[in-house]
Amino acid sequence: MSRGVTFSPALKASYDVTKKVTMGIEYYGAVGSITGFDAVRDQQQAIMPALDLNLGPNWEFNLAAGIGMTQGTDRLLVKMIIGRRLKLGKR
């Protein structure tokens, strides 16, 4: 297991199906220390199809479920985010 500063890449590719619905695929990883990656079996890597809903000017909802691709990752993963948009700066 890694200690110190780690490298944890995350990527998302998505397509706007409508103005309110976006579908995509997300990747999350934790590959180890920036000075030396862990063995592949100890890394955490997951890929997840995702659904995003635009719930209005202030709210968004994200749901994704997927699988871990290495021994170091849970087999089944589910995540949900409810986001509140903030308006900073000029009004």
Side-chain angles (χ1 to χ4, degrees):
M1 178 132 314
S2 299
R3 300 202 191 289
V5 179
T6 60
F7 181 60
S8 299
L11 300 168
K12 180 176 183 176
S14 62
Y15 176 77
D16 291 338
V17 178
T18 69
K19 288 183 178 183
K20 294 190 179 268
V21 177
T22 300
M23 297 182 77
I25 191 157
E26 299 176 354
Y27 163 82
Y28 296 94
V31 297
S33 170
I34 60 171
T35 59
F37 291 165
D38 293 339
V40 172
R41 71 179 176 277
D42 296 329
Q43 295 178 9
Q44 295 181 11
Q45 298 189 31
I47 192 157
M48 309 172 89
L51 173 70
D52 298 317
L53 301 176
N54 179 6
L55 302 176
N58 296 321
W59 294 95
E60 60 186 312
F61 175 80
N62 168 269
L63 178 67
I67 59 170
M69 300 185 302
T70 61
Q71 291 177 351
T73 311
D74 291 332
R75 186 62 60 206
L76 177 63
L77 303 158
V78 178
K79 73 157 185 106
M80 178 184 72
I81 298 172
I82 298 173
R84 171 82 163 108
R85 295 183 184 101
L86 300 176
K87 294 180 173 87
L88 302 174
K90 291 185 179 180
R91 298 230 173 214

